[in-house]
Amino acid sequence: MKEAAQALRAIMATAEPQLRQLEADKPAVPPPPGEWSAREILGHLIDSAANNHQRMVRAQYNEAANFPPYRQVDWVRLQHYNQRSWPELVDFWLAYNHHLAAAIETIPPEALAARCNIGQDEPVTLEFVVNDYLRHVRHHLNDLL
Ligand code: NI
């Protein structure tokens, strides 16, 4: 999945300067009720990276079909991202995604059809998980930036 890895690196290259600028532009803007702050959105992207990392590796030895779905709202709430430093969250998100890009790059073609549970009725393929991960990152970065 070289192209997906390259796409993820390109997303990071574009987003990094904008993310680093964001805190200077909008320090601690409180979100409307029921919505996530910038820190919580970036935290949600870190949680997504962590959960999808597990799926992407486990799928390659066929143990992702029963991997539990994760409760994203609880993950954000329980980790108190609003109390964290913005630069630390940005650094960690970038580091994790550089790691994921390397992991995605080495997924062999024969693993692309491996089954992954993402909490829907039917498991999806590993290829779908990778592409859906990129779509999800783009979606939230568009909101954030
Ligand atoms: Ni999301």
Side-chain angles (χ1 to χ4, degrees):
M1 299 222 72
K2 277 204 186 327
E3 280 130 51
Q6 285 308 107
L8 183 54
R9 292 188 180 111
I11 290 169
M12 284 188 279
T14 304
E16 178 173 1
Q18 297 174 292
L19 287 170
R20 295 205 185 283
Q21 186 62 34
L22 190 66
E23 189 186 40
D25 287 349
K26 297 197 267 182
V29 175
E35 290 184 26
W36 283 333
S37 67
R39 280 174 175 72
E40 287 172 325
I41 292 171
L42 195 54
H44 170 60
L45 287 179
I46 289 168
D47 296 342
S48 172
N51 277 274
N52 281 292
H53 182 205
Q54 293 276 331
R55 291 187 184 119
M56 288 173 198
V57 177
R58 288 170 188 271
Q60 294 182 61
Y61 54 86
N62 291 311
E63 285 187 10
N66 296 315
F67 191 66
Y70 87 104
R71 288 159 52 173
Q72 55 183 14
V73 173
D74 288 328
W75 274 56
V76 166
R77 177 176 58 82
L78 292 167
Q79 293 176 91
H80 301 276
Y81 284 118
N82 282 327
Q83 297 170 20
R84 301 283 298 281
S85 125
W86 176 254
E88 186 183 301
L89 293 174
V90 172
D91 287 343
F92 186 52
W93 180 78
L94 287 165
Y96 211 148
N97 279 280
H98 278 292
H99 180 74
L100 265 187
I104 289 169
E105 193 158 45
T106 59
I107 295 173
E110 60 270 23
L112 293 179
R115 285 149 35 98
C116 301
N117 172 37
I118 57 168
Q120 295 173 350
D121 292 341
E122 288 293 319
V124 297
T125 65
L126 176 54
E127 184 172 26
F128 178 91
V129 166
V130 172
N131 290 324
D132 194 52
Y133 176 71
L134 292 178
R135 183 202 57 72
H136 181 256
V137 170
R138 287 192 185 103
H139 161 74
H140 283 293
L141 287 178
N142 277 346
D143 274 357
L144 203 51
L145 302 173

